[in-house]
Amino acid sequence: MHCTALIVAAGPACVAVKPQIACFERLGPPGWIALAVVCARAREEGLLILADAKRGDIDVTAAAYAQAFLTSLPSPFGEIPGLGADAMTINPYLGRDALEPFALAAAQVGAGLFVLVRTSNPGARDVEDLELAAGGTVWEHVAGIVDDLGREAGGGELSAIGAVVGATAPEHLERARELMPRAPFLLPGIGAQGGRVEDLAPAFAPGRAGGLVTASRSIARAHEANGAAPADAARREAERLREAAWALVR
């Protein structure tokens, strides 16, 4: 009820919902049922589904994860449907061969991917910002892989292979856009984590579709800050974030 109420309230100011898969999986089988219900309601409201799963594994397992979230699983009893998300987040730290099965599965159904490149959490500095002996940082190397996969995937001005680039470290955005000119950026960290939409202009260099601002707690808990009815507060906060993002696009 909480999730669907938020979708109805804030949905008109949004393009997608980003269910955090762990919050549903922790509930076991009932959690998957709840996730399916939430996604169905989002589709009724005309929203895309971005599964925040952060999966990554060797090739066979990666293909299974892709089937679970993006496609279907062939079986002797017919096709077993997956979640059918329009996109999902994936983890690159097993290397390129762990990303390719996701890219293949996504291409088959016209879905997208968002690869973790430079994340919004403080601990990103522990690994992602490390300097490599060959030059550059770990996250810059991952960005190069994302760009390669995007070019191989083809498409128009924007690729189906996107990047997660945290809004909490906007100083990296210009470099990230330089390395990944065709990748849509998923920009977590707005609101509760301290990120500001106003700092994200480089993400929108390709246009409005170049950046996807994500906010969860700042919308869901907006009523706590101003005392308005929860639905009204959520809608107004979503509208405010949308206007701030679009104001960055000249």
Side-chain angles (χ1 to χ4, degrees):
M1 289 291 292
H2 175 69
C3 292
T4 55
L6 276 173
I7 288 170
V8 172
C14 304
V15 297
V17 297
K18 185 172 70 71
Q20 172 48 259
I21 301 302
C23 291
F24 293 91
E25 287 181 326
R26 65 182 175 178
L27 302 175
W32 274 96
I33 295 171
L35 177 61
V37 170
V38 168
C39 290
R41 187 53 190 267
R43 293 205 183 281
E44 290 174 3
E45 298 294 324
L47 299 171
L48 299 172
I49 310 296
L50 200 172
D52 195 2
K54 299 183 178 71
R55 296 301 198 265
D57 213 321
I58 61 172
D59 53 0
V60 173
T61 312
Y65 279 136
Q67 288 170 336
F69 292 103
L70 301 175
T71 66
S72 300
L73 176 65
S75 81
F77 310 103
E79 292 287 309
I80 300 174
L83 184 63
D86 298 290
M88 68 179 292
T89 57
I90 57 175
N91 192 319
Y93 287 98
L94 269 74
R96 184 184 172 115
D97 63 341
L99 300 179
E100 290 172 342
F102 287 105
L104 177 61
Q108 289 172 342
V109 295
L113 301 172
F114 288 95
V115 182
L116 302 181
V117 174
R118 209 300 177 175
T119 53
S120 61
N121 59 303
R125 303 184 190 93
D126 297 342
V127 175
E128 297 164 6
D129 290 354
L130 292 179
E131 294 284 340
L132 299 175
T137 62
V138 171
W139 78 259
E140 289 174 317
H141 182 73
V142 174
I145 295 173
V146 170
D147 188 59
D148 286 344
L149 289 173
R151 283 189 284 103
E152 292 171 8
E157 294 183 3
L158 281 177
S159 170
I161 311 295
V164 177
V165 184
T168 53
E171 66 272 16
H172 296 306
L173 279 174
E174 189 170 348
R175 176 59 174 160
R177 183 50 78 197
E178 178 185 348
L179 293 170
M180 300 175 288
R182 296 176 59 244
F185 286 2
L186 183 66
L187 301 158
I190 295 297
Q193 293 186 55
R196 294 177 356 108
V197 174
E198 293 79 5
D199 298 330
L200 305 181
F204 293 92
R208 285 183 175 179
L212 186 59
V213 173
T214 78
S216 300
R217 284 171 286 176
S218 60
I219 292 176
R221 299 178 182 174
H223 63 286
E224 297 176 0
N226 57 30
D232 292 339
R235 182 178 62 256
R236 286 200 293 267
E237 177 63 9
E239 290 172 346
R240 184 190 70 81
L241 293 172
R242 178 187 62 183
E243 291 171 4
W246 284 0
L248 299 174
V249 185
R250 294 182 172 85

